[in-house]
Structure formats: C-alpha cells, structure tokens
Amino acid sequence: MAATLQGKRIAFLAADGVEEVEYTRPRAAVEDAGARVELVSSRPGSIRSFNHLDQSTQYQVDVTTKQADASAYDALVLPGGVANPDFLRTDPEAVRFVKSFFDAGKPVGVICHGPWTLVEADVVRGRRITSWPSLRTDLTNAGAAWVDEPVVTDNGLVSSRKPDDLPAFCSKIVEEFAEGKHSAR
C-alpha cells in the first residue's frame, strides 16, 4: 500500500472486549499507508482484546477519552467486539470524542458492533450504514438506513459488518482517510 496517509494521525477508540482482529488489521492498514496511530480509551493503562469470546492480547492505551481532543487527529476508527462499544457508549467523554469527529466532518471507520457508540453520539440519523446484523434495529431506531453489505461509505463514514469484511473495510478506510474532511452534516 502506498504511503497515502503520510503525516496523518489516526485515533482508534477502544475498550476492554475489543475484537482483536478488528483492531489489529485496520491499524496495520493505516500504519502501512503511513499514518501515525494512537489508541484512545476510557481509562489509562491497557485494554484486553478478545477473539470472539476468548480473552487475547492486552494493548497499551496512549491517551484517555478525557484527555483526547479530536482536533489533534485526522480520522477515527471504532473497532467492534460486543463489550467494547457497550463500555464506550456509557462513557460521556468517549461519546463527546466521537461526536466531535462528525461535527468537524472528519472521516470515521466503524465495524461490527462499533456503531453502538455512534448511536449514543446521535450521528447516524439520515446516514446509510452497515454493521453486525444484531444492531440493525438499534441503528434503524436511531434514524439510519441499515443495509447488509460488506462495506458502506456515506460522506466520510465507512462501515462494515464483520471480520470477513476486513479486506474491503481496510482498503476503504485508507481511501477515505486520504481524502480527508468531508462536509459536516
């Protein structure tokens, strides 16, 4: 992959329970494209990833949601896992952080269960989005147009359903992040 993200700074927002492959593969994709990545989470220290329901690797947090400022980043990625977004959507600072990317028109990538945090931030209304199928009702009730496709792009928001879709998701986030800001809604 060409260094299309050279000089870009990308935030990955995650908590305990993040699906490991949904964190590591997109992170590798944007780093391979030249971006600098920081892991943002609700608390300092480390977070524990999972491979489905099995505990896996711990990852060191770079900055907390309380300290994080979206203006310091060019784009945001919200990996999935069931517990991860459930923790994040109950953290007002995480919700504020996510919303500020949308307010600024900055690109955001989200996969699997990650859109739960977008619902809490009230940023899916009127957008076309995909996710893990069990989020369909939540997203529809929040005003989104949910579709069952491997990857969906809507004005800088890139969404994807599951780990099987990671090749398409990773390619699309690199493309959207390289484009930069989109018109804020």
Side-chain angles (χ1 to χ4, degrees), residues 108-128:
V108 174
V110 62
I111 186 167
C112 199
H113 288 79
W116 265 339
T117 309
L118 301 183
V119 168
E120 196 66 33
D122 194 24
V123 295
V124 297
R125 189 170 317 284
R127 288 186 177 268
R128 192 169 173 268

Side-chain angles (χ1 to χ4, degrees), residues 65-88:
T65 53
K66 190 170 189 163
Q67 302 163 321
D69 180 358
S71 69
Y73 300 97
D74 297 291
L76 172 66
V77 176
L78 293 137
V82 177
N84 166 49
D86 202 43
F87 289 133
L88 293 173

Side-chain angles (χ1 to χ4, degrees), residues 16-153:
D16 286 328
V18 66
E19 184 70 30
E20 184 165 24
V21 71
E22 293 174 3
Y23 170 65
T24 58
R25 297 242 333 252
R27 181 174 179 142
V30 297
E31 287 178 333
D32 289 349
R36 189 172 118 214
V37 171
E38 290 186 354
L39 176 58
V40 179
S41 193
S42 297
R43 59 179 170 75
S46 62
I47 61 169
R48 170 74 66 184
S49 68
F50 277 67
N51 288 315
H52 302 290
L53 299 176
D54 299 323
Q55 287 190 20
S56 189
T57 309
Q58 287 190 304
Y59 293 95
Q60 191 63 39
V61 172
D62 296 306
V63 63
T64 65
T65 53
K66 190 170 189 163
Q67 302 163 321
D69 180 358
S71 69
Y73 300 97
D74 297 291
L76 172 66
V77 176
L78 293 137
V82 177
N84 166 49
D86 202 43
F87 289 133
L88 293 173
R89 68 184 177 164
T90 62
D91 172 7
E93 293 298 328
V95 173
R96 172 204 53 83
F97 185 64
V98 167
K99 186 166 180 1
S100 60
F101 278 85
F102 286 85
D103 291 345
K106 293 183 179 183
V108 174
V110 62
I111 186 167
C112 199
H113 288 79
W116 265 339
T117 309
L118 301 183
V119 168
E120 196 66 33
D122 194 24
V123 295
V124 297
R125 189 170 317 284
R127 288 186 177 268
R128 192 169 173 268
I129 193 169
T130 195
S131 68
W132 186 256
S134 65
L135 274 68
R136 178 183 186 164
T137 300
D138 296 330
L139 288 163
T140 302
N141 287 343
W146 188 88
V147 295
D148 185 13
E149 295 176 11
V151 67
V152 173
T153 305

Side-chain angles (χ1 to χ4, degrees), residues 1-12 23-38 75-77 109 169-178:
M1 207 174 279
T4 57
L5 299 181
Q6 197 65 42
K8 302 255 185 194
R9 190 171 171 201
I10 312 298
F12 275 67
Y23 170 65
T24 58
R25 297 242 333 252
R27 181 174 179 142
V30 297
E31 287 178 333
D32 289 349
R36 189 172 118 214
V37 171
E38 290 186 354
L76 172 66
V77 176
F169 178 70
C170 291
S171 176
K172 196 54 146 169
I173 62 171
V174 168
E175 178 185 322
E176 287 296 308
F177 293 178

